[in-house]
Amino acid sequence: MGLALGCLQVEQSTVAIREVFGKYEDVLEPGCHCVPWFMGRQIAGYLSLRVQQLDVRCETKTKDNVFVTVVASVQYRALAEKAVDAFYRLTNTREQIQAYVFDVIRATVPKMGLDSSFEQKNEIAKAVEEELEKAMSAYGYEIVQTLIVDIEPDEHVKKAMNEINAAARFRMAASEKAEAEKILHIKRAEGDAESKYLAGLGIARQRQAIVDGLRDSVLAFAENVPGTSSKDVMDMVLVTQYFDTLKEIGASSKSNSVFVPHGPGVVKDISSQVRDGLLHGNVARP
């Protein structure tokens, strides 16, 4: 009904292009407008002023001869003050933008290695945006923002990169494990050395206590039994220890060696034999 009466409504964030007998006449802003069709006036089309997004997938090669697929997202919009250029000068805006994106990416990425292309995504996006802004401004479009959202190497390349990374981590883990084992062996050796040192101190103190006890016993016996010398007392102590030792050896079923020499025909020299046996035992003891 509105068109029949020559009235037209233009939506918000949209402009309409009005022509008279096929020739451009005016840009209609959002609102209600009079377009008397019987006078040759008509609407040639509408132009959206909203921000639009175009995703472009571009396959190219890096400096180290690795094929990658670069995914770029271009956000753009038509300018109201240049609506005539945006409507009449381009047939397909999206294909035009895509062509510029292909050109810039295939001129920029081949100068970078694979690792550098991942690290310098912002530089690639900046180069694409600058080139698009310079080219599309003449056609009434503004480039709002350009993003490099993904760089996808070939599947075989990604698999090889993952294997290299895994091998490096395995090598690091093996090195850390070897270092841990080294520290463990060192600590175990230090603990063993400390244990032996403390055991030696204990043996030395034990022997010192035995010597002190024997000395006190000899002195006490000499004082209480007149006419005995220290040598007589020492011989008696050695003979007593000798028989105690034989008793312990006989009582133990697991004993298989005796360090003290013994002979029935030399009982009269038993003290010297006991003394020699004790010396042999001290030498053999670890």
Side-chain angles (χ1 to χ4, degrees):
M1 186 68 178
L3 292 176
L5 297 176
C7 295
L8 177 69
Q9 176 181 313
V10 180
E11 301 292 338
Q12 184 65 35
S13 298
T14 305
V15 293
I17 306 299
R18 186 173 64 186
E19 295 179 346
V20 178
F21 295 112
K23 182 180 179 181
Y24 165 75
E25 181 184 29
D26 195 9
V27 176
L28 304 181
E29 300 289 339
C32 184
H33 299 275
C34 182
V35 184
W37 54 270
F38 50 86
M39 297 181 62
R41 289 182 172 86
Q42 62 179 356
I43 299 298
Y46 298 89
L47 182 66
S48 174
L49 302 180
R50 295 184 177 93
V51 175
Q52 303 178 63
Q53 178 168 310
L54 173 64
D55 294 329
V56 181
R57 298 177 62 89
C58 176
E59 185 178 12
T60 184
K61 185 180 71 171
T62 62
K63 188 176 182 180
D64 44 3
N65 296 322
V66 177
F67 282 91
V68 296
T69 300
V70 181
V71 182
S73 292
V74 180
Q75 298 173 355
Y76 65 98
R77 67 183 180 93
L79 299 174
E81 60 272 17
K82 293 185 177 181
V84 177
D85 292 333
F87 186 81
Y88 286 105
R89 297 191 62 181
L90 284 180
T91 303
N92 193 319
T93 306
R94 299 175 72 86
E95 287 186 1
Q96 185 78 9
I97 293 176
Q98 182 174 330
Y100 279 108
V101 172
F102 280 172
D103 181 66
V104 176
I105 289 179
R106 289 173 177 169
T108 304
V109 175
K111 299 177 183 178
M112 305 176 179
L114 180 60
D115 294 336
S116 299
S117 63
F118 281 97
E119 297 170 357
Q120 302 178 21
K121 289 199 303 181
N122 292 336
E123 283 73 8
I124 300 174
K126 184 177 180 181
V128 173
E129 184 173 346
E130 289 177 352
E131 186 66 25
L132 283 176
E133 184 69 32
K134 183 170 56 177
M136 298 303 294
S137 61
Y139 299 106
Y141 283 91
E142 176 190 12
I143 304 301
V144 178
Q145 192 170 12
T146 302
L147 303 172
I148 301 298
V149 296
D150 196 9
I151 298 177
E152 303 175 355
D154 183 77
E155 283 296 328
H156 298 291
V157 176
K158 289 196 290 186
K159 183 178 179 180
M161 292 174 66
N162 290 334
E163 290 177 353
I164 292 172
N165 190 20
R169 293 184 180 276
F170 280 134
R171 184 170 61 251
M172 185 182 301
S175 176
E176 293 294 333
K177 182 179 179 181
E179 187 67 22
E181 290 180 353
K182 173 184 174 183
I183 295 174
L184 184 62
H185 285 308
I186 291 175
K187 293 300 181 182
R188 186 180 293 118
E190 291 178 352
D192 188 47
E194 184 68 18
S195 176
K196 290 180 179 179
Y197 172 73
L198 295 176
L201 287 179
I203 292 173
R205 290 173 180 173
Q206 180 186 17
R207 291 178 178 176
Q208 183 64 41
I210 292 172
V211 171
D212 293 340
L214 289 175
R215 184 183 65 246
D216 294 340
S217 297
V218 169
L219 293 176
F221 192 88
E223 290 178 359
N224 295 327
V225 182
T228 57
S229 63
S230 298
K231 183 178 181 303
D232 296 334
V233 177
M234 192 63 190
D235 290 341
M236 186 187 68
V237 172
L238 290 176
V239 171
T240 303
Q241 289 186 345
Y242 169 75
F243 285 112
D244 290 340
T245 302
L246 289 180
K247 181 180 178 181
E248 291 180 2
I249 292 174
S252 177
S253 61
K254 296 182 180 180
S255 299
N256 54 15
S257 62
V258 179
F259 293 100
V260 180
H262 175 69
V266 289
V267 177
K268 62 181 180 179
D269 197 22
I270 197 169
S271 62
S272 61
Q273 292 184 34
V274 172
R275 187 180 297 107
D276 293 339
L278 290 176
L279 292 176
H280 288 309
N282 289 333
V283 172
R285 180 179 299 171

